[in-house]
Amino acid sequence: MRVVVLVSGGGTNLQALVDAAADPAYGVQIVAVGADRDGIEGLARAERAGIPTFVVRVRDHRDRVAWDVALAEEVLAFEPDLVVGAGFMKILGAAFLTRFDGRVVNTHPALLPSFPGAHGVADALAYGVRVTGCTAHFVDAGVDTGPIIAQRTVEVRDTDTEESLHDRIKVEERAMLVEVVGRLARESWTVDGRRVRVGVAG
Ligand code: GAR
Protein backbone atom coordinates (compact mmCIF):
# COMPACT_ATOMS: atom_id res chain seq x y z
CA MET A 1 0.00 0.00 0.00
CA ARG A 2 1.34 3.40 -1.02
CA VAL A 3 1.18 5.88 1.88
CA VAL A 4 1.79 9.63 2.05
CA VAL A 5 2.41 10.89 5.62
CA LEU A 6 1.66 14.51 6.62
CA VAL A 7 3.58 16.07 9.53
CA SER A 8 3.95 19.44 11.30
CA GLY A 9 6.54 18.73 13.98
CA GLY A 10 9.00 16.28 15.44
CA GLY A 11 7.76 13.31 13.48
CA THR A 12 8.23 10.51 16.01
CA ASN A 13 5.04 8.85 14.74
CA LEU A 14 6.39 9.16 11.20
CA GLN A 15 9.67 7.58 12.35
CA ALA A 16 7.78 4.62 13.80
CA LEU A 17 6.05 4.10 10.43
CA VAL A 18 9.33 4.48 8.52
CA ASP A 19 10.99 1.90 10.78
CA ALA A 20 8.08 -0.54 10.38
CA ALA A 21 7.97 -0.07 6.61
CA ALA A 22 11.62 -1.15 6.33
CA ASP A 23 10.28 -4.73 6.60
CA PRO A 24 8.60 -5.70 3.31
CA ALA A 25 6.24 -7.97 5.26
CA TYR A 26 4.70 -4.86 6.84
CA GLY A 27 3.03 -4.14 3.50
CA VAL A 28 3.49 -0.37 3.41
CA GLN A 29 5.62 1.87 1.21
CA ILE A 30 5.92 5.46 2.43
CA VAL A 31 6.11 7.22 -0.93
CA ALA A 32 6.33 10.81 0.35
CA VAL A 33 6.17 13.00 3.45
CA GLY A 34 4.43 16.38 3.28
CA ALA A 35 4.35 19.28 5.71
CA ASP A 36 2.69 22.67 6.19
CA ARG A 37 5.96 24.27 7.33
CA ASP A 38 9.72 24.15 6.66
CA GLY A 39 12.57 23.29 8.97
CA ILE A 40 10.91 20.62 11.09
CA GLU A 41 12.45 17.41 12.35
CA GLY A 42 9.68 15.41 10.68
CA LEU A 43 10.96 16.46 7.25
CA ALA A 44 14.56 15.79 8.28
CA ARG A 45 13.58 12.26 9.33
CA ALA A 46 12.06 11.65 5.90
CA GLU A 47 15.14 13.03 4.14
CA ARG A 48 17.44 10.80 6.19
CA ALA A 49 15.30 7.82 5.15
CA GLY A 50 15.52 8.82 1.47
CA ILE A 51 11.79 9.57 1.22
CA PRO A 52 10.68 12.47 -1.06
CA THR A 53 9.29 15.50 0.82
CA PHE A 54 7.17 18.52 -0.02
CA VAL A 55 6.00 21.62 1.86
CA VAL A 56 2.72 23.46 1.19
CA ARG A 57 2.38 26.54 3.41
CA VAL A 58 -0.96 28.26 4.03
CA ARG A 59 0.63 31.70 3.77
CA ASP A 60 1.75 31.04 0.20
CA HIS A 61 -1.88 30.67 -0.94
CA ARG A 62 -4.68 33.19 -1.29
CA ASP A 63 -7.03 31.31 1.04
CA ARG A 64 -7.57 27.99 2.80
CA VAL A 65 -9.40 26.45 -0.17
CA ALA A 66 -6.48 27.26 -2.49
CA TRP A 67 -4.13 25.73 0.09
CA ASP A 68 -6.31 22.61 0.33
CA VAL A 69 -6.24 22.19 -3.45
CA ALA A 70 -2.47 22.76 -3.65
CA LEU A 71 -1.82 20.26 -0.85
CA ALA A 72 -4.12 17.71 -2.50
CA GLU A 73 -2.30 18.08 -5.81
CA GLU A 74 1.10 17.51 -4.19
CA VAL A 75 -0.23 14.42 -2.42
CA LEU A 76 -2.03 13.09 -5.54
CA ALA A 77 1.20 13.23 -7.53
CA PHE A 78 2.47 10.34 -5.36
CA GLU A 79 -0.66 8.25 -6.08
CA PRO A 80 -1.22 7.12 -2.48
CA ASP A 81 -3.73 4.49 -1.41
CA LEU A 82 -3.79 6.07 2.06
CA VAL A 83 -2.88 9.47 3.54
CA VAL A 84 -1.81 9.52 7.22
CA GLY A 85 -1.83 12.65 9.38
CA ALA A 86 0.92 11.98 11.96
CA GLY A 87 1.02 15.13 14.05
CA PHE A 88 -0.30 17.24 11.16
CA MET A 89 -1.69 20.35 12.88
CA LYS A 90 -3.94 21.78 10.13
CA ILE A 91 -7.59 20.98 9.47
CA LEU A 92 -8.00 19.36 6.07
CA GLY A 93 -10.92 20.93 4.18
CA ALA A 94 -13.47 19.50 1.76
CA ALA A 95 -11.33 20.34 -1.27
CA PHE A 96 -8.68 17.97 0.09
CA LEU A 97 -10.94 15.29 1.53
CA THR A 98 -13.13 14.82 -1.57
CA ARG A 99 -10.01 13.81 -3.50
CA PHE A 100 -9.15 11.08 -0.99
CA ASP A 101 -12.61 9.87 -0.11
CA GLY A 102 -12.40 7.82 3.10
CA ARG A 103 -8.66 7.21 2.73
CA VAL A 104 -7.26 9.75 5.20
CA VAL A 105 -6.24 8.56 8.69
CA ASN A 106 -5.29 10.81 11.60
CA THR A 107 -3.82 10.13 15.01
CA HIS A 108 -4.95 12.21 17.98
CA PRO A 109 -3.50 12.30 21.54
CA ALA A 110 -6.77 11.80 23.44
CA LEU A 111 -9.65 9.35 23.65
CA LEU A 112 -12.06 10.83 21.11
CA PRO A 113 -14.77 12.05 21.15
CA SER A 114 -13.31 13.66 24.30
CA PHE A 115 -10.80 16.46 23.87
CA PRO A 116 -10.64 17.03 20.09
CA GLY A 117 -8.59 19.84 18.58
CA ALA A 118 -5.05 21.10 18.87
CA HIS A 119 -4.71 20.79 22.68
CA GLY A 120 -5.97 17.28 23.42
CA VAL A 121 -3.37 16.49 26.09
CA ALA A 122 -3.63 19.81 27.95
CA ASP A 123 -7.43 19.75 27.79
CA ALA A 124 -7.61 16.23 29.25
CA LEU A 125 -5.17 17.14 32.04
CA ALA A 126 -7.05 20.36 32.88
CA TYR A 127 -10.38 18.50 32.95
CA GLY A 128 -9.01 16.08 35.53
CA VAL A 129 -9.69 12.78 33.77
CA ARG A 130 -7.84 9.82 35.29
CA VAL A 131 -7.56 7.92 32.02
CA THR A 132 -6.76 9.36 28.61
CA GLY A 133 -4.93 7.97 25.59
CA CYS A 134 -4.85 8.15 21.83
CA THR A 135 -7.15 7.53 18.88
CA ALA A 136 -6.59 6.59 15.26
CA HIS A 137 -9.54 7.63 13.10
CA PHE A 138 -10.58 8.27 9.55
CA VAL A 139 -10.81 11.98 8.78
CA ASP A 140 -14.17 13.51 7.92
CA ALA A 141 -15.26 17.13 7.53
CA GLY A 142 -15.32 17.79 11.31
CA VAL A 143 -12.49 18.35 13.78
CA ASP A 144 -11.41 14.88 14.99
CA THR A 145 -14.96 13.53 14.47
CA GLY A 146 -14.40 10.74 11.92
CA PRO A 147 -14.96 6.99 12.43
CA ILE A 148 -12.63 5.51 15.06
CA ILE A 149 -10.24 2.74 14.00
CA ALA A 150 -8.33 2.08 17.24
CA GLN A 151 -7.72 3.54 20.69
CA ARG A 152 -5.23 2.93 23.50
CA THR A 153 -5.47 4.11 27.09
CA VAL A 154 -2.95 5.82 29.36
CA GLU A 155 -3.47 6.54 33.09
CA VAL A 156 -2.98 10.10 34.30
CA ARG A 157 -0.60 10.44 37.26
CA ASP A 158 -0.95 13.06 40.00
CA THR A 159 2.50 14.35 39.12
CA ASP A 160 1.84 14.64 35.37
CA THR A 161 2.58 17.75 33.37
CA GLU A 162 1.32 18.13 29.81
CA GLU A 163 4.78 17.09 28.62
CA SER A 164 5.12 13.97 30.78
CA LEU A 165 1.60 12.82 29.92
CA HIS A 166 2.10 13.46 26.21
CA ASP A 167 5.38 11.52 26.28
CA ARG A 168 3.60 8.43 27.70
CA ILE A 169 0.67 8.84 25.27
CA LYS A 170 3.10 9.00 22.37
CA VAL A 171 4.65 5.66 23.31
CA GLU A 172 1.20 4.06 22.97
CA GLU A 173 0.33 6.21 19.96
CA ARG A 174 3.34 5.11 17.90
CA ALA A 175 2.57 1.44 18.53
CA MET A 176 -1.12 2.00 17.74
CA LEU A 177 -0.40 3.85 14.50
CA VAL A 178 2.07 1.22 13.31
CA GLU A 179 -0.47 -1.52 14.02
CA VAL A 180 -3.38 0.37 12.39
CA VAL A 181 -1.59 1.38 9.19
CA GLY A 182 -0.11 -2.10 8.74
CA ARG A 183 -3.46 -3.81 9.26
CA LEU A 184 -5.26 -1.43 6.89
CA ALA A 185 -2.60 -2.22 4.28
CA ARG A 186 -2.64 -5.98 4.70
CA GLU A 187 -6.26 -6.67 5.62
CA SER A 188 -8.35 -3.83 4.11
CA TRP A 189 -11.43 -2.48 5.92
CA THR A 190 -15.07 -1.43 5.77
CA VAL A 191 -16.83 1.50 7.39
CA ASP A 192 -20.49 0.94 8.30
CA GLY A 193 -21.89 4.20 9.67
CA ARG A 194 -19.38 5.06 12.37
CA ARG A 195 -18.15 1.49 12.85
CA VAL A 196 -14.84 0.54 11.29
CA ARG A 197 -14.06 -3.14 10.74
CA VAL A 198 -10.50 -3.94 9.76
CA GLY A 199 -10.07 -7.25 8.00
CA VAL A 200 -13.48 -7.08 6.33
CA ALA A 201 -13.00 -6.02 2.71
CA GLY A 202 -15.38 -3.38 1.39
C1 GAR B 1 1.11 13.40 18.35
O1 GAR B 1 0.86 13.14 19.72
C2 GAR B 1 -0.18 13.61 17.59
O2 GAR B 1 -1.26 12.86 18.08
C3 GAR B 1 -0.44 15.08 17.86
O3 GAR B 1 0.83 15.66 17.70
C4 GAR B 1 1.83 14.73 18.14
C5 GAR B 1 2.89 14.66 17.09
O4 GAR B 1 4.03 13.99 17.53
N1 GAR B 1 -1.42 15.59 16.97
C6 GAR B 1 -2.38 16.42 17.33
O5 GAR B 1 -2.48 16.91 18.44
C7 GAR B 1 -3.37 16.75 16.23
N2 GAR B 1 -4.49 17.44 16.77
P1 GAR B 1 5.20 13.60 16.53
O6 GAR B 1 5.45 14.80 15.63
O7 GAR B 1 6.37 13.30 17.39
O8 GAR B 1 4.74 12.40 15.75
Side-chain angles (χ1 to χ4, degrees):
M1 190 171 73
R2 295 171 65 83
V3 174
V4 170
V5 181
L6 300 177
V7 297
S8 297
T12 64
N13 282 282
L14 164 68
Q15 188 69 55
L17 291 172
V18 167
D19 294 347
D23 180 355
Y26 183 60
V28 169
Q29 187 189 0
I30 301 175
V31 292
V33 172
D36 62 327
R37 62 197 76 184
D38 301 300
I40 54 172
E41 180 61 17
L43 288 171
R45 289 176 189 276
E47 281 157 17
R48 286 199 293 272
I51 299 168
T53 63
F54 58 87
V55 175
V56 185
R57 299 185 305 180
V58 171
R59 68 167 179 265
D60 294 335
H61 298 84
R62 71 179 177 283
D63 57 26
R64 273 305 267 259
V65 176
W67 174 78
D68 261 312
V69 170
L71 181 66
E73 278 169 6
E74 289 279 356
V75 175
L76 275 170
F78 292 97
E79 301 181 342
D81 303 301
L82 195 74
V83 179
V84 176
F88 190 63
M89 301 303 284
K90 292 276 188 303
I91 306 298
L92 295 166
F96 186 95
L97 294 173
T98 54
R99 288 164 170 82
F100 302 97
D101 189 29
R103 291 182 293 127
V104 184
V105 170
N106 183 49
T107 180
H108 181 74
L111 292 175
L112 294 172
S114 293
F115 313 116
H119 309 288
V121 179
D123 291 347
L125 194 59
Y127 194 92
V129 293
R130 303 308 314 196
V131 176
T132 183
C134 51
T135 303
H137 64 95
F138 286 111
V139 177
D140 67 7
V143 177
D144 300 324
T145 52
I148 291 169
I149 308 164
Q151 296 186 299
R152 294 197 183 198
T153 58
V154 173
E155 287 191 12
V156 180
R157 296 177 185 159
D158 290 343
T159 51
D160 265 330
T161 61
E162 178 183 352
E163 189 186 10
S164 67
L165 181 56
H166 201 171
D167 283 347
R168 287 205 315 291
I169 289 170
K170 283 172 71 168
V171 172
E172 293 298 324
E173 191 176 23
R174 289 189 283 267
M176 174 188 72
L177 191 64
V178 166
E179 185 186 335
V180 161
V181 173
R183 287 196 66 203
L184 292 176
R186 296 186 305 271
E187 302 175 38
S188 194
W189 70 90
T190 52
V191 181
D192 179 13
R194 290 201 52 85
R195 298 193 64 188
V196 177
R197 281 178 298 168
V198 180
V200 181

